[in-house]
Amino acid sequence: MVEALRRGEIDEAHPDFTYAQFLDEVSSTGDIARRFPSDPTKRIVPISVARRLYPTGNPRARTMFPLWADLYPTTSEIAAALLGLIITCGWNLSVATSLTTDEISRVDARDGSEPVHLRVRLHKPRRGPESDWTETYSDNGPRSKARLLQTVLGLTEGVRQTMSDTGRETNALLVSLAKGFMGLGEPPFMVLGDAGPRTVMNYLSKWRDEHPELDFATPRALRSFFTTRVHPQGHSLSTNLDYNLKDPTVRKAIQPVVASALEGHYKDIQARVLAAASATLGDLPERHRNALDEVNSGARDTVVAACLDHNHHPDTNEPCRASFLTCFTCKNAVVLKRHLPRITALHDHLEHLRTVVQPGVWSDRFAMHHSRVGSLLQPDRHFSAADIGTARHSITDLDRERAARLMNRIWDA
């Protein structure tokens, strides 16, 4: 309407003339010039304008926020624009909020011979030396990146123009009215990139409250969808997993899938645990049954298990150079009841270690091994409570010494 007035398309005979003229004054000056003679701090709004904003009730008892909302995007509208940029362009939240109009340039011929092409210069500080890069987007339809960027530019241009006209120039792409502004005077504007992450997240949360059917539309969920479904080839597997596995909805949905996959591959990543004192031919793979006597006699013992074939690691098919501590994750390993005392001694050593190392060190280096060893000592999971109790009373000084040597990496290749 303001642009139509400035082009001369709305004259005094037009029913929208007074309203358009009023909007033009506000957008050009950021304020209302007419004041009450008795109180210059109070602006005068033509009654026809007030009635247009509030067709029913007493317009004088209402705020003038609808007037500003007719001219400028609100925080809810800018939140929707931000989420649109994330899901359509695949940008991180920080990349989208810091983008400026100076970083968006049109690079097509501009003669109608080709679609609109926009070149966008992007910046992500945490990428270090590769923090700056450019992308070119084409307007290939309503859902294209270039079309959305043009829409957002048009949505926010009024704010930038008014700020420039009133000496508060900005080149930020995402600008809007400030949240909660209700006054009649000069409208305060907000640059989303200056608002801080917590404030931005509050605006996004408020927008979701207004659209409960879209409550899933968080920056992380939308970014995850883009990186894993829309443009996965632009990201590493670890990046895709990172976005997916931090999403609560995704985590819940994949639990049964993960459980099924783990159960299917469990035997390939786990030692053979036998509750008996010795193995039988049926307990061993056919290709390793010739090792049965040596497994039962102890000739193939490592520190905490027996090894079916130390010359051929399952993953490399080469002589095994892994720590004996990883035997519990190897399908060549066989754990028998007679190994329980030494396994118990190893568990005790790890328990003591947890009390003397920093929590971060424990979590990174030892917690996983502690969990694996502890799983073998859960009553009635692999061994009976009586067998585990007997093993604890059977621990020798040699068992403790070998557990200590194992943890001190004496035997590491």
Side-chain angles (χ1 to χ4, degrees):
M1 187 180 296
V2 171
E3 293 301 323
L5 176 72
R6 292 172 180 173
R7 290 193 301 267
E9 298 170 6
I10 297 178
D11 57 21
E12 294 185 13
H14 197 285
D16 291 331
F17 177 73
T18 301
Y19 190 61
Q21 193 177 48
F22 192 72
L23 292 179
D24 181 44
E25 177 186 358
V26 173
S27 64
S28 300
T29 66
D31 205 347
I32 300 169
R34 295 181 63 195
R35 310 295 177 104
F36 284 95
S38 59
D39 187 354
T41 63
K42 294 183 178 180
R43 279 81 169 170
I44 297 177
V45 178
I47 192 63
S48 62
V49 172
R51 283 176 175 165
R52 180 177 182 127
L53 297 173
Y54 292 100
T56 61
N58 179 8
R60 296 187 184 279
R62 308 294 183 93
T63 72
M64 299 307 295
F65 185 76
L67 171 71
W68 313 131
D70 267 0
L71 281 171
Y72 312 112
T74 63
T75 53
S76 289
E77 291 170 329
I78 211 66
L82 174 59
L83 292 172
L85 291 171
I86 292 173
I87 184 60
T88 303
C89 301
W91 298 337
N92 289 98
L93 189 65
S94 61
V95 172
T97 55
S98 63
L99 191 64
T100 69
T101 56
D102 294 340
E103 294 166 327
I104 304 172
S105 56
R106 188 169 170 178
V107 293
D108 58 281
R110 304 195 187 199
D111 58 3
S113 63
E114 58 181 337
V116 172
H117 298 315
L118 298 180
R119 181 169 294 153
V120 184
R121 188 170 69 251
L122 300 168
H123 181 67
K124 187 188 293 185
R126 67 182 176 85
R127 290 178 59 170
E130 300 178 353
S131 62
D132 295 288
W133 76 103
T134 60
E135 295 184 6
T136 301
Y137 304 139
S138 298
D139 186 346
N140 297 320
R143 297 186 178 183
S144 65
K145 299 175 183 179
R147 181 71 61 86
L148 176 60
L149 274 173
Q150 292 175 89
T151 301
V152 176
L153 283 165
L155 172 71
T156 58
E157 178 56 32
V159 177
R160 283 187 296 275
Q161 185 60 54
T162 300
M163 292 182 72
S164 176
D165 291 342
T166 56
R168 295 174 289 168
E169 191 163 352
T170 181
N171 63 355
L173 174 64
L174 297 178
V175 286
S176 71
L177 286 170
K179 180 182 179 182
F181 172 66
M182 294 294 184
L184 179 59
E186 181 178 332
F189 299 114
M190 178 196 66
V191 175
L192 199 63
D194 295 339
R198 184 182 296 274
T199 301
V200 173
M201 295 305 291
N202 285 339
Y203 293 156
L204 297 177
S205 177
K206 184 175 184 295
W207 179 86
R208 287 194 298 276
D209 290 342
E210 296 169 355
H211 301 82
E213 74 282 6
L214 300 175
D215 62 349
F216 63 87
T218 65
R220 179 168 292 278
L222 297 180
R223 169 73 170 156
S224 171
F225 181 86
F226 182 90
T227 58
T228 58
R229 307 286 182 84
V230 179
H231 192 63
Q233 66 270 29
H235 303 275
S236 66
L237 175 62
S238 61
T239 297
N240 292 338
L241 289 176
D242 178 62
Y243 280 108
N244 265 328
L245 295 180
K246 287 184 179 178
D247 186 306
T249 303
V250 173
R251 284 205 304 268
K252 183 177 180 180
I254 66 173
Q255 282 178 2
V257 179
V258 172
S260 176
L262 288 177
E263 289 172 4
H265 295 285
Y266 184 73
K267 292 182 179 180
D268 290 335
I269 58 171
Q270 180 73 13
R272 299 169 190 274
V273 182
L274 307 177
S278 60
T280 66
L281 285 175
D283 295 324
L284 305 184
E286 186 174 351
R287 67 181 183 278
H288 290 313
R289 287 176 179 173
N290 61 332
L292 178 65
D293 291 340
E294 291 183 351
V295 166
N296 288 332
S297 69
R300 288 181 177 259
D301 273 9
T302 63
V303 181
V304 288
C307 182
L308 293 174
D309 188 357
H310 67 271
N311 286 318
H312 298 90
H313 190 281
D315 293 334
T316 65
N317 203 37
E318 296 178 355
C320 182
R321 300 176 63 85
S323 167
F324 292 131
L325 199 57
T326 63
C327 286
F328 301 116
T329 66
C330 179
K331 62 182 181 181
N332 275 351
V334 179
V335 177
L336 297 168
K337 189 189 299 184
R338 62 183 169 81
H339 295 124
L340 274 178
R342 199 166 295 166
I343 291 172
T344 306
L346 176 59
H347 188 263
D348 290 346
H349 189 101
L350 286 165
E351 283 281 291
H352 172 72
L353 194 61
R354 181 160 56 173
T355 66
V356 297
V357 301
Q358 294 294 326
V361 176
W362 168 262
S363 178
D364 292 341
R365 296 181 57 186
F366 304 115
M368 179 171 57
H369 299 302
H370 177 268
S371 177
R372 288 171 180 157
V373 175
S375 70
L376 296 173
L377 300 178
Q378 292 179 15
D380 300 320
R381 180 175 185 181
H382 297 290
F383 302 98
S384 69
D387 287 340
I388 295 171
T390 299
R392 173 160 296 282
H393 289 95
S394 304
I395 298 174
T396 66
D397 289 340
L398 180 59
D399 292 329
R400 295 188 181 92
E401 177 191 344
R402 292 194 172 177
R405 288 169 68 85
L406 171 58
M407 292 306 302
N408 289 330
R409 307 181 68 173
I410 301 298
W411 291 301
D412 280 9

